[in-house]
Amino acid sequence: MAGKIGRRAALAGMAAAPLSTLVLPGHTRHLHLQPLDPAWLAFRHRYLRAEGRVVDDGRGGISHSEGQGFAMLLAQRAGDVEAFEAMWAWTRQRLARPSDALMSWRFTPRPGEAPHDPNNATDGDLFLAWSLAEAGQRWNRPDFARAGQAIARDILRLATREANGRLLLLPGVQGFAQRDAVVVNPSYYVFPAFAALERLTGEPGWARLRRDGLDLLEQCRFGRWGLPADWVRVPLGAGRVAPAHGFPPRFAYDAVRVPLYLAWAGEDGAPALAAAHRFWLDPGLRLLPAWTDLRTDDVAPYPAPSGTLGIARLVHGLRSGRAVALRGPQAAENYYAAALGLLAREAAAARRLPLEDA
């Protein structure tokens, strides 16, 4: 999972083959009753291989549970059952862990490298469970719903930790619970998924994760703008939440998802949402920077990628009542930027915000 830390805005290097002739074993081609969303089709053409693998072109062509989960949710929202089935089949085949319902976080096709990291990534598992929950209901597929339930229940069972009266979400089952602290990634709190998974499983832990996650974010206010860090250290016992040791103390490529998920879930009063809005609109900044250092208040000398810009425009639209101008996947620098742009579109639709092309 170490490779998932510290995202870089790498330029797109290898596009995925189009999903033009996909027929799964034992399945027939599905006829779409209405045209699919062009933005989703552009993403599918560029990043989804015919076997159902989403390619992260910014990181050497690997695949991971995050990308599978992002794309499965987007496919479900677009009504693309064919692509959804392909991605879920590949995910089960290539990423399934033998001892639980969670997924290994990474697959690499490179010769000479271990194909998997056995640890999970909890945000990827959340998106997989959420997409399966919605797909089960939309397409009357109890098998999808059962799979989503199994993943959701194992997230609560294996990837949470009690600390100081708060239920914390672990970024992965292994490696984040220390002797005197827990390392947490605030962007793994996918708030819009929690209500869906509570409905799916009936487990009260989801409502508690929401409450305790919002409370944690109240304490994750660092630097001049009061922003969350990509990675934070939550002490067990006395002490303050702080940016985690061993990671750049930045609001950067991970933490930009915090305002996305807060906006999507309707958590308009969350301080982290207001803080991100202030930062992105600060008149003292000559550009919308890719990151800010939360200890020095320095900002990146280069602009944020298009996915971050899309989230900033979503937040501004929510708080100003204006239309949200978003670029399509064709203009994105890489897989991650394209995915964030499409997720921002879904959040805008959920909040009934008007959209326009950037």
Side-chain angles (χ1 to χ4, degrees), residues 178-249:
Q178 303 169 350
R179 180 182 57 83
D180 59 349
V182 176
V183 174
V184 172
N185 187 316
S187 75
Y188 282 31
Y189 282 78
V190 187
F191 290 104
F194 293 169
L197 297 181
E198 183 179 13
R199 290 191 298 270
L200 180 69
T201 64
E203 297 281 351
W206 296 107
R208 189 175 173 204
L209 273 177
R210 173 192 166 274
R211 292 192 303 269
D212 291 352
L214 292 172
D215 178 66
L216 175 64
L217 281 176
E218 292 266 6
Q219 300 180 45
C220 295
R221 302 172 68 182
F222 311 117
R224 170 182 169 187
W225 292 278
L227 293 163
D230 286 345
W231 296 86
V232 300
R233 181 181 184 274
V234 182
L236 302 178
R240 300 179 62 181
V241 175
H245 305 307
F247 302 92

Side-chain angles (χ1 to χ4, degrees), residues 1-5 53-54 56 59-68 90-91 93-97 102-125 128 171 188:
M1 173 138 183
K4 197 167 189 290
I5 297 164
R53 182 169 80 88
V54 179
D56 187 340
R59 298 165 64 198
I62 70 168
S63 297
H64 34 66
S65 59
E66 171 205 276
Q68 299 300 120
W90 185 90
T91 301
Q93 179 183 9
R94 295 292 189 173
L95 299 181
R97 288 159 44 108
L102 306 180
M103 299 293 158
S104 298
W105 84 267
R106 186 205 68 200
F107 168 85
T108 177
R110 292 190 286 266
E113 286 192 33
H116 298 95
D117 182 329
N119 205 6
N120 74 307
T122 304
D123 63 332
D125 290 325
L128 289 169
Y188 282 31

